[in-house]
Amino acid sequence: MATTFKNFTSADIATTRTLLNEAIPITGTIVSGTYSDLNIQNYSHQLFQSVYDYPYLSSSANHIFDITFGYASGSALSGSTSTANSKKLNIYNQFSQILAGYDTGSIVRKFDQDGNYGAGTTINDAFFLSFARLLVKDEIKKGSFQISIGTGSAIASPFAGGPLTIYDASGVTDYRTNSPAGEYGLLYTNSAGTGDVVGHVYYQAGAVVLTASVFPSTTVMSGTATLNATLSGSTIPTIADSLRRRINNITFNNTTELNSTIYFCRAFSNEFNYSSNPTYLSQSKIVVKDEASDPPLAYITTVGLYSADNELLAVAKLSEPLKKTVDSELTIRTRLDY
């Protein structure tokens, strides 16, 4: 391959940023029915539960999200007689450190219901959903997250009366930026953003915090145990099961941020009309010319991008050779995505 070099000017280089979105539907049948829980993985540490899109022992399975539960130290559910009390406290503290951060006194903040971290209501008892990066990509698109859950009192008919749909209703225009994990939106019980706030969705972290009070206190969550009895008297995997079986649907759009540098490779009329390739000449004659009096010409097949030290960094192949003569000019647009 013959190589001819030309330096870029600032006018030859442009940068762009493109956001690509993909719809992600997670149906309740996958979460709690299709595979008879063979796609649910529990662990000996009993700190969280993982949901897959296929039986998790299969090489074809993809991790979808994790479910766990925790409460704050001031929660009415916390106590020496509560099952896995230290684990639930640690789970809450871990998520609050990452998602809520610290106050001015270096104390871990509790999740604030309206996100203002003033004197408002805090979320002391919460379910946590952590979505796989495979689904979230760079972030959850603002305003796109919805989760439908069953709040029926009977465990056998959780969707009696219809599921409750929770919306990231004001995420596009009213998201919060006071989290160390990035931006987050409030989750409302209606699509207008005027209902009760029942949690947060953290866009870049791909995490959802859902207050346990979204379920009525009389809701039977596990066996014959109502909400508070289940949350205080059961292990985290059992609590995860109780929430999972009440999930009807989860939908959101993910976002992939595509940054591009565009190089306009310009060949003016007096440039790139010759080649240093040994096959370009035969007996000191240009082989691509029919007559000796014809102007020189060359065929461009490849564009290489080099560093300032003439190190080859990237190669772009043209779909077909481009004829270059002294009476023509070419601009080849080369895009580098990252």
Side-chain angles (χ1 to χ4, degrees), residues 231-263:
L231 299 182
S232 63
S234 301
T235 63
I236 292 176
T238 299
I239 296 171
D241 284 338
S242 68
L243 173 64
R244 185 168 50 80
R245 295 193 174 100
R246 288 178 173 270
I247 294 176
N248 181 60
N249 195 28
I250 300 174
T251 61
F252 61 87
N253 291 345
N254 65 22
T255 300
T256 301
E257 181 176 320
L258 187 64
N259 294 287
S260 304
T261 300
I262 301 171
Y263 298 91

Side-chain angles (χ1 to χ4, degrees), residues 22 24 78 111 130 236 269 294 306 323 326-327 333:
E22 177 187 17
I24 304 297
S78 177
F111 290 101
S130 298
I236 292 176
S269 60
D294 290 343
Y306 288 78
K323 184 178 180 180
V326 294
D327 59 355
R333 183 178 180 272

Side-chain angles (χ1 to χ4, degrees), residues 90-165:
N90 289 338
I91 288 292
Y92 186 96
N93 287 335
Q94 179 182 5
F95 275 92
S96 59
Q97 285 180 47
I98 296 172
L99 302 177
Y102 296 80
D103 62 17
T104 55
S106 299
I107 298 175
V108 178
R109 298 192 296 189
K110 297 179 181 178
F111 290 101
D112 189 86
Q113 188 170 1
D114 60 11
N116 293 326
Y117 290 97
T121 304
T122 58
I123 300 175
N124 291 328
D125 315 309
F127 298 100
F128 300 98
L129 307 181
S130 298
F131 292 92
R133 190 57 60 182
L134 176 69
L135 300 186
V136 175
K137 303 298 185 183
D138 290 327
E139 65 176 54
I140 296 173
K141 182 182 179 182
K142 297 178 181 66
S144 70
F145 185 85
Q146 294 183 26
I147 179 171
S148 297
I149 58 175
T151 58
S153 58
I155 193 171
S157 53
F159 303 108
L164 170 67
T165 302

Side-chain angles (χ1 to χ4, degrees), residues 209-236:
V209 179
L210 190 65
T211 178
S213 62
V214 70
F215 296 104
S217 60
T218 56
T219 305
V220 177
M221 298 291 288
S222 177
T224 59
T226 54
L227 178 67
N228 286 351
T230 299
L231 299 182
S232 63
S234 301
T235 63
I236 292 176

